[in-house]
Coordinates of all heavy atoms in Angstrom, one line a residue:
M10 N 0.8 -1.2 0.0 CA 0.0 0.0 0.0 C 0.9 1.2 0.0 O 1.9 1.3 0.6 CB -0.9 0.0 1.2 CG -2.0 1.0 1.2 SD -3.2 0.8 2.5 CE -4.2 -0.4 1.8
T11 N 0.5 2.3 -0.7 CA 1.2 3.5 -0.8 C 0.5 4.7 -0.1 O -0.7 4.8 -0.3 CB 1.5 3.9 -2.3 OG1 2.2 2.8 -2.9 CG2 2.3 5.1 -2.4
T12 N 1.2 5.6 0.5 CA 0.6 6.7 1.1 C 1.2 8.0 0.5 O 2.4 8.1 0.3 CB 0.9 6.8 2.7 OG1 0.4 5.6 3.3 CG2 0.3 8.0 3.3
F13 N 0.3 8.9 0.1 CA 0.8 10.2 -0.4 C -0.1 11.3 0.0 O -1.2 11.1 0.4 CB 0.9 10.1 -2.0 CG -0.4 9.9 -2.7 CD1 -1.1 11.0 -3.2 CD2 -0.9 8.7 -2.9 CE1 -2.2 10.9 -3.9 CE2 -2.1 8.5 -3.6 CZ -2.7 9.6 -4.1
T14 N 0.5 12.5 0.0 CA -0.3 13.7 0.4 C -0.5 14.6 -0.8 O 0.3 14.8 -1.7 CB 0.6 14.5 1.4 OG1 0.9 13.7 2.5 CG2 -0.1 15.8 1.9
V15 N -1.7 15.1 -0.9 CA -2.1 15.9 -2.0 C -2.7 17.2 -1.5 O -3.6 17.2 -0.6 CB -3.2 15.2 -2.9 CG1 -3.6 16.1 -4.1 CG2 -2.7 13.9 -3.4
Q16 N -2.3 18.3 -2.1 CA -3.0 19.6 -1.8 C -3.8 20.0 -3.0 O -3.3 20.1 -4.1 CB -1.9 20.7 -1.5 CG -1.3 20.6 -0.1 CD -0.3 21.7 0.1 OE1 0.4 22.2 -0.7 NE2 -0.4 22.2 1.4
V17 N -5.1 20.4 -2.7 CA -5.9 20.8 -3.8 C -6.7 22.0 -3.3 O -6.8 22.3 -2.1 CB -7.0 19.7 -4.2 CG1 -6.3 18.5 -4.8 CG2 -7.8 19.3 -3.0
K18 N -7.2 22.8 -4.2 CA -8.0 24.0 -3.9 C -9.3 23.5 -3.1 O -9.8 22.4 -3.4 CB -8.4 24.7 -5.1 CG -7.3 25.4 -5.8 CD -7.7 26.1 -7.0 CE -6.6 26.8 -7.8 NZ -7.0 27.4 -9.0
D19 N -9.8 24.3 -2.2 CA -10.9 23.9 -1.4 C -12.1 23.6 -2.3 O -12.8 22.6 -2.0 CB -11.3 25.1 -0.5 CG -10.3 25.2 0.7 OD1 -9.6 24.3 1.0 OD2 -10.3 26.3 1.2
N20 N -12.3 24.3 -3.4 CA -13.5 24.0 -4.2 C -13.3 22.7 -5.0 O -14.3 22.2 -5.6 CB -13.8 25.2 -5.1 CG -12.7 25.6 -6.0 OD1 -11.6 25.2 -5.8 ND2 -12.9 26.5 -6.9
D21 N -12.1 22.2 -5.1 CA -11.9 20.9 -5.8 C -11.9 19.7 -4.9 O -11.9 18.6 -5.4 CB -10.6 21.0 -6.6 CG -10.6 22.0 -7.7 OD1 -11.7 22.3 -8.2 OD2 -9.5 22.5 -8.1
A22 N -11.8 19.9 -3.6 CA -11.6 18.9 -2.6 C -12.8 17.8 -2.7 O -12.5 16.6 -2.6 CB -11.5 19.4 -1.2
E23 N -14.0 18.3 -2.8 CA -15.1 17.3 -2.8 C -15.0 16.4 -4.0 O -15.3 15.2 -3.9 CB -16.4 18.1 -2.8 CG -17.6 17.2 -2.5 CD -18.9 18.0 -2.3 OE1 -18.9 19.1 -1.9 OE2 -20.0 17.4 -2.7
L24 N -14.7 16.9 -5.2 CA -14.6 16.1 -6.4 C -13.5 15.1 -6.2 O -13.7 13.9 -6.5 CB -14.3 17.0 -7.6 CG -14.0 16.2 -8.9 CD1 -15.2 15.4 -9.3 CD2 -13.6 17.2 -10.0
I25 N -12.3 15.5 -5.7 CA -11.2 14.6 -5.5 C -11.6 13.5 -4.5 O -11.3 12.3 -4.7 CB -10.0 15.3 -5.0 CG1 -9.5 16.4 -6.0 CG2 -8.8 14.4 -4.7 CD1 -9.1 15.9 -7.4
L26 N -12.3 13.8 -3.4 CA -12.7 12.8 -2.4 C -13.7 11.8 -3.1 O -13.5 10.6 -2.8 CB -13.4 13.5 -1.3 CG -12.5 14.3 -0.3 CD1 -13.3 15.0 0.7 CD2 -11.5 13.4 0.4
K27 N -14.6 12.2 -3.9 CA -15.5 11.3 -4.6 C -14.7 10.3 -5.5 O -15.0 9.2 -5.5 CB -16.5 12.1 -5.4 CG -17.6 12.7 -4.5 CD -18.6 13.5 -5.3 CE -19.6 14.2 -4.4 NZ -20.6 14.9 -5.2
I28 N -13.7 10.9 -6.2 CA -13.0 10.0 -7.1 C -12.2 9.0 -6.3 O -12.2 7.8 -6.6 CB -12.0 10.8 -7.9 CG1 -12.8 11.7 -8.9 CG2 -11.0 10.0 -8.7 CD1 -12.0 12.7 -9.6
L29 N -11.6 9.4 -5.2 CA -10.8 8.5 -4.3 C -11.7 7.4 -3.7 O -11.3 6.3 -3.5 CB -10.0 9.2 -3.3 CG -8.9 10.1 -3.8 CD1 -8.3 10.9 -2.7 CD2 -7.8 9.2 -4.4
Q30 N -12.9 7.8 -3.4 CA -13.9 6.8 -2.8 C -14.2 5.7 -3.8 O -14.4 4.5 -3.4 CB -15.1 7.5 -2.3 CG -14.9 8.3 -1.1 CD -16.2 9.2 -0.7 OE1 -17.1 9.3 -1.5 NE2 -16.2 9.7 0.5
K31 N -14.2 6.0 -5.1 CA -14.4 5.0 -6.1 C -13.3 3.9 -6.1 O -13.5 2.8 -6.5 CB -14.6 5.6 -7.4 CG -15.9 6.4 -7.6 CD -16.1 6.8 -9.0 CE -17.4 7.6 -9.1 NZ -18.5 6.9 -9.6
F32 N -12.1 4.3 -5.7 CA -11.0 3.4 -5.6 C -10.9 2.7 -4.2 O -9.9 2.1 -3.9 CB -9.7 4.1 -5.9 CG -9.6 4.5 -7.3 CD1 -9.8 5.8 -7.7 CD2 -9.3 3.5 -8.3 CE1 -9.7 6.1 -9.1 CE2 -9.1 3.9 -9.6 CZ -9.4 5.2 -10.0
E33 N -11.9 3.0 -3.3 CA -11.9 2.5 -1.9 C -10.7 2.9 -1.2 O -10.1 2.2 -0.4 CB -12.1 1.0 -1.9 CG -13.5 0.6 -2.5 CD -13.7 -0.9 -2.5 OE1 -12.8 -1.7 -2.0 OE2 -14.7 -1.3 -3.0
A34 N -10.2 4.2 -1.4 CA -9.0 4.7 -0.8 C -9.3 5.2 0.6 O -10.5 5.6 0.9 CB -8.4 5.9 -1.6
K35 N -8.4 5.0 1.5 CA -8.6 5.5 2.9 C -8.1 7.0 2.8 O -7.0 7.3 2.4 CB -7.7 4.8 3.9 CG -7.7 5.3 5.3 CD -6.8 4.6 6.2 CE -6.8 5.2 7.6 NZ -5.8 4.6 8.4
V36 N -9.1 7.9 3.2 CA -8.8 9.3 3.1 C -8.8 10.0 4.5 O -9.7 9.8 5.3 CB -9.9 10.0 2.2 CG1 -9.7 11.5 2.2 CG2 -10.0 9.4 0.8
T37 N -7.7 10.7 4.7 CA -7.6 11.5 5.9 C -7.6 13.0 5.5 O -6.7 13.4 4.9 CB -6.3 11.2 6.7 OG1 -6.3 9.8 6.9 CG2 -6.2 11.9 8.0
V38 N -8.6 13.7 6.0 CA -8.7 15.2 5.7 C -8.1 15.9 6.8 O -8.5 15.7 8.0 CB -10.1 15.6 5.4 CG1 -10.2 17.0 5.1 CG2 -10.7 14.7 4.3
T39 N -7.1 16.8 6.5 CA -6.5 17.5 7.6 C -6.7 19.0 7.6 O -6.3 19.7 8.6 CB -5.0 17.3 7.6 OG1 -4.4 17.7 6.4 CG2 -4.6 15.8 7.8
S40 N -7.3 19.6 6.6 CA -7.3 21.0 6.5 C -8.7 21.6 6.2 O -8.8 22.7 5.6 CB -6.3 21.5 5.5 OG -6.6 21.1 4.2
L41 N -9.8 20.9 6.5 CA -11.1 21.5 6.3 C -11.3 22.6 7.3 O -11.1 22.4 8.5 CB -12.2 20.4 6.5 CG -12.3 19.4 5.3 CD1 -13.4 18.4 5.7 CD2 -12.7 20.1 4.0
P42 N -11.7 23.8 6.8 CA -11.9 24.9 7.8 C -13.1 24.6 8.6 O -14.1 24.1 8.1 CB -12.1 26.1 6.8 CG -12.5 25.5 5.5 CD -11.9 24.1 5.4
N43 N -13.0 24.9 9.9 CA -14.1 24.8 10.8 C -14.7 26.1 11.0 O -14.2 27.1 10.6 CB -13.8 24.0 12.1 CG -12.7 24.8 12.9 OD1 -12.6 26.0 12.8 ND2 -11.9 24.1 13.7
S44 N -15.9 26.2 11.7 CA -16.5 27.4 11.9 C -15.7 28.4 12.7 O -15.8 29.6 12.4 CB -17.9 27.2 12.6 OG -17.7 26.6 13.9
L45 N -14.9 28.0 13.7 CA -14.1 28.9 14.4 C -13.0 29.5 13.5 O -12.8 30.7 13.6 CB -13.4 28.1 15.6 CG -12.5 29.0 16.5 CD1 -13.3 30.1 17.1 CD2 -11.8 28.1 17.5
T46 N -12.4 28.8 12.6 CA -11.4 29.3 11.7 C -12.1 30.4 10.8 O -11.5 31.4 10.5 CB -10.8 28.2 10.8 OG1 -10.3 27.2 11.7 CG2 -9.7 28.7 9.9
K47 N -13.3 30.1 10.3 CA -14.0 31.1 9.5 C -14.3 32.3 10.3 O -14.2 33.4 9.7 CB -15.3 30.5 8.9 CG -15.0 29.4 7.9 CD -16.4 28.8 7.4 CE -16.1 27.6 6.5 NZ -17.4 27.0 6.1
E48 N -14.7 32.2 11.5 CA -15.0 33.4 12.4 C -13.7 34.2 12.6 O -13.8 35.4 12.6 CB -15.6 32.9 13.7 CG -17.0 32.4 13.6 CD -17.6 31.9 14.9 OE1 -17.1 32.4 15.9 OE2 -18.5 31.1 14.8
I49 N -12.6 33.6 12.8 CA -11.3 34.3 13.0 C -11.0 35.0 11.8 O -10.5 36.2 11.8 CB -10.2 33.3 13.5 CG1 -10.5 32.8 14.9 CG2 -8.9 34.0 13.5 CD1 -9.6 31.7 15.4
A50 N -11.1 34.4 10.6 CA -10.7 35.0 9.4 C -11.6 36.2 9.1 O -11.2 37.3 8.7 CB -10.9 34.0 8.2
E51 N -12.9 36.1 9.4 CA -13.8 37.2 9.2 C -13.5 38.4 10.2 O -13.5 39.5 9.8 CB -15.3 36.8 9.5 CG -16.3 37.8 9.3 CD -16.4 38.4 7.9 OE1 -16.1 37.7 6.9 OE2 -16.7 39.6 7.7
A52 N -13.2 38.0 11.4 CA -12.8 39.1 12.4 C -11.5 39.8 12.0 O -11.4 41.0 12.1 CB -12.6 38.4 13.8
L53 N -10.5 39.1 11.5 CA -9.3 39.7 11.0 C -9.6 40.6 9.8 O -9.0 41.7 9.7 CB -8.3 38.6 10.6 CG -7.7 37.9 11.8 CD1 -6.8 36.7 11.3 CD2 -6.9 38.8 12.7
K54 N -10.5 40.2 8.9 CA -10.9 41.0 7.8 C -11.5 42.3 8.3 O -11.3 43.4 7.7 CB -11.8 40.3 6.9 CG -12.2 41.0 5.6 CD -13.1 40.2 4.7 CE -13.6 40.9 3.5 NZ -14.3 42.1 3.7
E55 N -12.4 42.2 9.3 CA -13.1 43.4 9.8 C -12.1 44.3 10.4 O -12.1 45.6 10.3 CB -14.1 43.0 10.9 CG -15.3 42.3 10.3 CD -16.3 41.8 11.3 OE1 -16.2 42.2 12.5 OE2 -17.2 41.1 11.0
V56 N -11.1 43.8 11.2 CA -10.0 44.7 11.8 C -9.2 45.4 10.7 O -9.0 46.6 10.8 CB -9.1 43.8 12.7 CG1 -7.9 44.6 13.1 CG2 -9.9 43.3 13.9
K57 N -8.9 44.7 9.6 CA -8.1 45.3 8.6 C -8.9 46.4 7.9 O -8.4 47.4 7.6 CB -7.8 44.2 7.5 CG -6.9 44.7 6.4 CD -6.4 43.5 5.5 CE -5.5 44.0 4.5 NZ -5.1 42.9 3.6
D58 N -10.3 46.2 7.7 CA -11.1 47.2 7.1 C -11.2 48.4 8.0 O -11.2 49.5 7.5 CB -12.5 46.6 6.8 CG -12.6 45.7 5.7 OD1 -11.6 45.6 4.9 OD2 -13.6 45.0 5.5
I59 N -11.3 48.2 9.3 CA -11.3 49.3 10.3 C -10.0 50.1 10.2 O -10.0 51.3 10.1 CB -11.6 48.8 11.7 CG1 -13.1 48.3 11.8 CG2 -11.4 49.9 12.7 CD1 -13.4 47.6 13.1
Q60 N -8.9 49.4 10.2 CA -7.6 50.1 10.1 C -7.4 50.8 8.8 O -6.8 51.9 8.8 CB -6.5 49.1 10.3 CG -6.4 48.5 11.7 CD -5.3 47.4 11.9 OE1 -4.9 46.8 10.9 NE2 -4.9 47.2 13.1
A61 N -8.0 50.3 7.7 CA -7.9 51.0 6.4 C -8.9 52.1 6.3 O -8.9 52.8 5.3 CB -8.0 50.0 5.3
G62 N -9.8 52.3 7.2 CA -10.8 53.3 7.2 C -12.0 53.0 6.3 O -12.8 53.8 6.0
K63 N -12.1 51.7 5.9 CA -13.2 51.3 5.1 C -14.5 51.0 5.9 O -15.5 50.9 5.4 CB -12.8 50.0 4.3 CG -11.8 50.2 3.3 CD -11.4 48.8 2.6 CE -10.3 49.0 1.6 NZ -10.0 47.7 1.0
S64 N -14.3 50.8 7.2 CA -15.4 50.5 8.1 C -15.3 51.3 9.4 O -14.2 51.7 9.8 CB -15.3 49.0 8.4 OG -16.4 48.6 9.2
K65 N -16.4 51.6 10.0 CA -16.4 52.3 11.3 C -16.0 51.4 12.4 O -16.3 50.2 12.5 CB -17.8 52.8 11.5 CG -18.0 53.8 12.6 CD -19.4 54.4 12.7 CE -20.2 53.5 13.7 NZ -21.5 54.0 13.9
S66 N -15.2 52.0 13.3 CA -14.7 51.1 14.4 C -15.9 50.8 15.4 O -16.9 51.5 15.4 CB -13.6 51.8 15.2 OG -13.9 53.1 15.6
L67 N -15.7 49.7 16.1 CA -16.8 49.2 16.9 C -16.7 49.8 18.3 O -15.7 50.3 18.7 CB -16.7 47.7 17.1 CG -16.7 46.9 15.7 CD1 -16.4 45.4 16.0 CD2 -18.1 47.0 15.1
S68 N -17.9 49.9 19.0 CA -17.9 50.4 20.3 C -18.6 49.4 21.2 O -19.1 48.3 20.8 CB -18.7 51.7 20.4 OG -20.1 51.5 20.1
L69 N -18.7 49.7 22.5 CA -19.4 48.8 23.4 C -20.9 48.6 23.1 O -21.5 47.6 23.4 CB -19.2 49.3 24.9 CG -17.8 49.1 25.4 CD1 -17.7 49.7 26.8 CD2 -17.4 47.7 25.5
K70 N -21.5 49.6 22.5 CA -22.9 49.5 22.1 C -23.1 48.4 21.0 O -24.2 47.9 20.9 CB -23.4 50.8 21.5 CG -23.4 51.9 22.5 CD -23.9 53.3 21.9 CE -23.9 54.4 23.0 NZ -24.2 55.7 22.4
D71 N -22.1 48.1 20.3 CA -22.2 47.0 19.3 C -22.2 45.6 19.9 O -22.6 44.7 19.1 CB -21.0 47.1 18.3 CG -21.0 48.4 17.5 OD1 -22.0 48.9 17.1 OD2 -19.9 49.0 17.4
I72 N -21.9 45.5 21.1 CA -21.9 44.1 21.8 C -23.3 43.7 22.1 O -24.1 44.3 22.5 CB -21.0 44.1 23.0 CG1 -19.6 44.4 22.6 CG2 -21.1 42.8 23.7 CD1 -18.6 44.5 23.7

């Protein structure tokens, strides 16, 4: 049996997984983004927009 690692774009991952399942391959997914990762990415984008002046800074009233 052979083991190899493949990096694919997120939008291609589902197709690749389906193809591998047809070969009854054992698949280990290590980089699917979870909701926390998405929330952190969105928060970082908001901070960057605030720093660039594209968005109004937040206050305690926003909580």
Side-chain angles (χ1 to χ4, degrees):
M10 190 171 277
T11 302
T12 301
F13 63 96
T14 302
V15 178
Q16 284 186 320
V17 295
K18 293 180 182 177
D19 290 337
N20 56 348
D21 294 334
E23 191 172 331
L24 174 63
I25 300 297
L26 288 173
K27 286 180 183 178
I28 292 169
L29 290 172
Q30 286 173 349
K31 290 191 182 254
F32 291 102
E33 298 179 3
K35 177 183 175 186
V36 177
T37 304
V38 179
T39 59
S40 63
L41 285 178
N43 60 28
S44 62
L45 181 59
T46 304
K47 289 178 185 177
E48 289 177 21
I49 292 170
E51 181 62 30
L53 291 173
K54 183 180 180 300
E55 289 176 14
V56 168
K57 187 175 181 180
D58 287 346
I59 290 170
Q60 289 175 339
K63 295 179 182 177
S64 182
K65 190 174 90 174
S66 52
L67 302 173
S68 69
L69 290 176
K70 293 179 182 178
D71 297 319
I72 296 179

